[in-house]
Amino acid sequence: MLKSEKYPHPLSQANFTQLNDDEGGLNLGQVGAVLRRRLLLIGGTTALVATAAVLKAETDPPVYQGTFDILTKPVTGEDKAIANVPQTINSQDKISPPESTRDVQTTITVLQSPRVLNPIVEKLQAQYPDLTYDSLVYYLTITSSKPNILNIQYTNSDQKLVSDVLKLLADAYLQYSLQERQSDVEVAIKFVDQQKQPLVKGLKYWQDQLRNLRLDNNLIEPAQKAQELSTQIATLRQQRIENRVQLEQMVAKYEELQKELAQEPGERAGNSLLSDNVRYQKILDQIQAADIAIKQQSAVFTDENPAMVTLRQKKEYLLPLLAQEEARVQKDFQSRIREMSARDRALDEKINNGYSEVRKLATVSRNYDNIQRELQIANEALTQFTTKQQSLQIEKAQKQQPWLLLDPKLTRVNEPLAVSDSAKRNLALGGLLGLLLGIGTALVVDKLSNIFYSSQELKDATRLPLLGIVPLRKELEVATKDNLSRGVQNSDGASFFEVFRSLYTNILLLGSDTPIRSLVISSAGQGDGKSTIATQLAQAAAAMGQRVLLVDANLRAPSLHNRVGLMNIQGLTDVISQDLDWHNVIEPSPLEENMFVMPAGPIPPDSVRLLASQKMHNLMEELQVSFDLVIYDTPPLLGFADAYLLAANTDGLVLVAGLGKLKRTALQQALEQIQISGTPLLGLIANKSKDAAPVSYQYYQQYYKQSVSGEKVSAEKVTANANSSSLTKTKRS
């Protein structure tokens, strides 16, 4: 059994959808190819239309054209006055941007309106009765090629009418600009007056706010007040530090005094605190002297002695005085401690009050800054609007026209300003129109042709594997075996033959696990070059060492025997109908050593019956076993069932598409039939390609030329060396 569905390529509905979509439009890549193919049609259409335009221009009466330029935005006194004032209306640098395209179009529309042109028509109708508003606008052109400059052109066959119209147009446009300027100035003055009232009120409001803030907080400048508070707080903090140091020292002395007072009077003599007190020290000295006297007298007198009694009374009198002095010293220390503590509390209170005032002053300062800023903004805005009002008043008093004629003499002469070259203009317009018409015609004609012209179109339309691209050649230079052995094949023929080697390699790569042993080559219709492709492919495979059999299965119109230089006496028809041995029918091809050919033989009355027979099926199995590759050349797919019958018993079908001939509808119909029949499709071959040769084809040409050139040089060197040796031997003889 043959593996008939071994390498099928699925033909999904997406392929047909893509093909239909391609029929609906051209992509950008196809447009360039279409224009190149239809270059002659485009050139002819362009030349025809341009010639017709020139002939029409020569038959028309002479046309006169007048023109003048108007500067629409000269520098005015107002502009100079407010050039450096930002945020004002019509400010050149800030608010008013450069004149936009929309503003220019609006101005042009107004200048062409009946309001401006009807007075001109009424003045000229007495002299030119046929002149109307529509005819005047039709030949009037206003453009702006440069900023703030309008170019006015009027064209007519009447030379005097052109001059009169231009003169009146210039006067009308200048007068219009003056009226518009006066109107704009009046509107601007009203606007400025309206805007100044809120500014005056706002300025007064913020001035009142500033005055109230200063009165409520008793300050002139918050920054100065803040500096004073900061200095005052720093001074108070320093005083508090000094007072606390003194208080701590006083408390320490008082504690030390308490310790000393707890001692006996005799032990206090060395105390520095009490010794500093003169009165205390004097009383203490008297007590100590009394004690000494008592001790001295006690050795002489008894206790009842009056002298002893007097001394004891004196001591007892002095002790209360000493106690009073101690109490006074303690009260003095306590008083000073209370005084310093009170001062510390007072300093704390003052410092806290100072911090409170600083915090309050921060809020006041922020409000002050906000009022100052708003006051400055209001003052500047009022100043700007006042300046603007003065400038507008000056501008209103002036009668100078804001628009200026760049050359006033151009509108005062009665001679034609310019004579247009109608022939040149019509030639340019006609050429452009003809080019566009030619391009459109080329696209339509190419679309209606419904033909594939490039391999990329074929690949994009079908989304099927493109096995190879065969360049278009007028004559296929097929070298014979003798020519190949003698090396007379030129580089072009060798490189063209290399395309088929690459094609066969691509077919081999389709079956990486099991090689492809047989295939059918067919096409959608006649003239696609399938027989040529089959012959060249067989020759390429044989040249690569394969044992190849080329079978002419086109029993309706056999032609392979003519291509390979054989006779069609016996062939496939005789093998099937007369039970001839196929070994006796095949013949070696003169083109390649491993290539064999089975001609078609006599044309049978019913080729389909022969190809569908069991004998044909058995024959195909034997041939596939006996040869490395069997190629069947069949009739076209459309209208004939031969190719489908054979492809079912091979590894697949190769479809040849002749570029420049194959129609999209024919290919679509053939693909639909292949899908319905379930025929395994290996891929497509784009034949007769007029595109640039594939990169591999170009590289092979360069390589072949370099190789041939190198071999030629080497041969010349060998010949020269041989001649030189022969000459040397002759001389020696």
Side-chain angles (χ1 to χ4, degrees), residues 31 34-35 38 41-42 45-46 433-445:
V31 172
V34 171
L35 297 183
R38 306 295 179 180
L41 175 61
I42 296 174
T45 304
T46 303
L433 179 61
L435 180 61
L436 296 177
L437 183 62
I439 292 175
T441 304
L443 293 176
V444 171
V445 170

Side-chain angles (χ1 to χ4, degrees), residues 289-299 308 311-313 315:
D291 287 337
I292 295 172
I294 290 172
K295 289 181 180 181
Q296 290 176 353
Q297 292 297 329
S298 63
M308 294 293 292
L311 290 173
R312 285 194 292 270
Q313 290 178 349
K315 180 180 178 181

Side-chain angles (χ1 to χ4, degrees), residues 11 54 64 189 274 311 343 426 430 508 530 534 564 597 612 644 661:
L11 293 176
V54 172
Y64 300 91
I189 291 176
L274 295 177
L311 290 173
R343 186 183 181 190
N426 286 11
L508 286 180
K530 59 179 180 56
V564 298
V597 180
Y644 302 109
K661 178 178 178 60

Side-chain angles (χ1 to χ4, degrees), residues 206-431:
W206 290 114
Q207 288 175 346
D208 294 340
Q209 291 291 322
L210 180 61
R211 183 181 64 253
N212 295 334
L213 181 67
R214 286 175 174 173
L215 291 176
D216 294 341
N217 295 277
N218 193 21
L219 57 84
I220 298 176
E221 292 291 338
Q224 182 179 358
K225 183 67 175 179
Q227 183 65 29
E228 293 176 357
L229 287 175
S230 178
T231 303
Q232 183 179 357
I233 291 173
T235 302
L236 292 174
R237 291 181 64 183
Q238 182 63 30
Q239 292 176 1
R240 186 178 63 178
I241 292 173
E242 294 175 356
N243 182 72
R244 287 184 176 179
V245 171
Q246 294 177 2
L247 178 60
E248 291 176 357
Q249 292 176 353
M250 188 62 65
V251 171
K253 289 181 179 181
Y254 180 74
E255 292 177 353
E256 186 178 353
L257 177 62
Q258 295 297 323
K259 293 179 180 180
E260 292 180 359
L261 292 177
Q263 299 175 359
E264 293 296 330
E267 299 175 357
R268 305 172 189 169
N271 185 275
S272 59
L273 293 176
L274 295 177
S275 61
D276 292 338
N277 192 322
V278 177
R279 292 180 60 189
Y280 178 84
Q281 189 64 35
K282 185 176 181 180
I283 295 172
L284 183 62
D285 291 342
Q286 291 178 3
I287 292 174
Q288 291 177 351
D291 287 337
I292 295 172
I294 290 172
K295 289 181 180 181
Q296 290 176 353
Q297 292 297 329
S298 63
V300 179
F301 302 104
T302 62
D303 293 336
E304 289 82 10
N305 187 282
M308 294 293 292
V309 173
T310 302
L311 290 173
R312 285 194 292 270
Q313 290 178 349
K314 183 179 180 181
K315 180 180 178 181
E316 292 175 358
Y317 172 76
L318 292 173
L319 287 175
L321 293 177
L322 183 63
Q324 291 178 0
E325 190 62 28
E326 291 176 354
R328 191 186 65 78
V329 172
Q330 292 186 43
K331 289 181 180 179
D332 182 56
F333 271 97
Q334 292 174 356
S335 176
R336 293 174 64 183
I337 289 174
R338 285 194 298 270
E339 180 183 354
M340 290 182 180
S341 298
R343 186 183 181 190
D344 185 72
R345 289 192 296 271
L347 289 174
D348 282 339
E349 184 177 358
K350 289 182 180 180
I351 291 174
N352 292 332
N353 292 336
Y355 283 136
S356 299
E357 290 184 13
V358 168
R359 288 191 292 270
K360 180 181 178 181
L361 185 61
T363 303
V364 174
S365 178
R366 182 170 61 253
N367 296 335
Y368 179 84
D369 293 339
N370 293 336
I371 294 174
Q372 285 283 49
R373 183 174 60 255
E374 295 295 337
L375 186 61
Q376 181 181 3
I377 293 174
N379 191 21
E380 290 179 354
L382 183 60
T383 302
Q384 293 170 4
F385 271 88
T386 302
T387 305
K388 180 64 179 179
Q389 185 181 32
Q390 295 173 355
S391 301
L392 291 173
Q393 293 291 349
I394 296 173
E395 194 72 21
K396 182 179 179 181
Q398 295 178 351
K399 300 298 182 182
Q400 182 181 1
Q401 292 173 337
W403 288 7
L404 297 177
L405 287 175
L406 297 184
D407 190 358
K409 295 182 180 180
L410 288 179
T411 59
R412 302 294 188 264
V413 297
N414 295 324
E415 297 297 328
L417 300 179
V419 179
S420 63
D421 192 349
S422 300
K424 293 182 179 180
R425 182 184 63 184
N426 286 11
L427 177 60
L429 295 177

Side-chain angles (χ1 to χ4, degrees), residues 476-494:
L476 296 179
E477 299 181 8
V478 182
T480 62
K481 181 178 179 180
D482 295 339
N483 289 338
L484 286 174
S485 63
R486 292 197 302 268
V488 299
Q489 185 181 16
N490 58 28
S491 62
D492 191 31

